[in-house]
Amino acid sequence: MKKIILLVFPCLLMTCALVAQQKTIPSVKLETLDGKSFNTSAIENDGNPTIISFWATWCKPCKEELNNIADEYEDWMDETGVKLVAVSIDDQRSATRVKPYVNSVGWDYQILLDKNSDFKRAMGVQNVPHTFLLDGKGNIVYQHNSYSPGDEDKLYDKVQAAAKK
């Protein structure tokens, strides 16, 4: 048993290290709110920064973060060209709540459904909210996990820096 653990543990560490060093997003098939297939390799923003935010309808801090960003999002787009993609990790049962919630709050974000958590796993997301910032070339330049009021201001500072590159 010790030999198996000694063999498996280094492999697990290497996998974690590779995810941590990941600089671009992986190609994973998700679903749009309209039920259409969408591959994450198609996430792009004409050379401008992109925010990818993992969230769920049952996650109060997730909704708080995305609602606070929504208050400023139009200005952010005008000033930096940023685009936000909100990836719901709601499973098959709770995914039916995503579209009504998004419609009720009026988010202008691109919404994708990760019902099987394939993209979540591929990105190394352990819990939500988890937010990634991509530069105009699609490289991950910043990420944060969890949410406290004011984190959106820190994120915007990072967006501004990414937009200047």
Side-chain angles (χ1 to χ4, degrees):
M1 183 67 171
K2 286 184 181 180
K3 287 183 181 180
I4 292 173
I5 292 173
L6 290 174
L7 290 173
V8 172
F9 188 70
C11 292
L12 184 61
L13 283 177
M14 287 178 59
T15 301
C16 290
L18 287 174
V19 169
Q21 293 176 354
Q22 180 176 312
K23 295 290 185 194
T24 59
I25 59 171
S27 175
V28 177
K29 287 187 181 181
L30 301 180
E31 192 176 303
T32 66
L33 284 182
D34 300 343
K36 296 178 182 163
S37 181
F38 182 89
N39 194 307
T40 57
S41 63
I43 294 175
E44 62 85 29
N45 191 19
D46 296 326
N48 294 311
T50 302
I51 299 167
I52 299 175
S53 182
F54 286 84
W55 72 288
T57 56
W58 44 261
C59 172
K60 185 177 177 182
C62 299
K63 295 188 295 187
E64 184 179 359
E65 178 177 39
L66 288 169
N67 285 327
N68 286 341
I69 291 172
D71 292 342
E72 306 294 328
Y73 187 55
E74 190 172 324
D75 291 337
W76 288 20
M77 288 188 306
D78 290 344
E79 294 169 15
T80 66
V82 71
K83 171 183 169 180
L84 192 144
V85 179
V87 180
S88 166
I89 63 160
D90 285 89
D91 62 17
Q92 295 289 345
R93 291 175 297 183
S94 61
T96 58
R97 297 183 199 134
V98 174
K99 190 172 186 175
Y101 179 77
V102 169
N103 289 339
S104 75
V105 293
W107 290 345
D108 288 330
Y109 312 138
Q110 179 179 10
I111 309 294
L112 299 174
L113 305 174
D114 188 14
K115 295 178 188 176
N116 298 321
S117 292
D118 295 333
F119 191 40
K120 175 186 165 199
R121 276 190 300 280
M123 292 291 287
V125 172
Q126 298 298 312
N127 54 24
V128 289
H130 194 127
T131 303
F132 294 87
L133 174 62
L134 310 178
D135 65 13
K137 296 176 185 171
N139 298 309
I140 298 170
V141 295
Y142 173 75
Q143 63 179 297
H144 78 263
N145 189 293
S146 75
Y147 175 74
S148 296
D151 283 351
E152 67 276 8
D153 298 326
K154 295 174 192 169
L155 176 60
Y156 183 64
D157 290 343
K158 300 290 184 180
V159 168
Q160 286 181 309
K164 292 178 183 175
K165 291 185 178 182

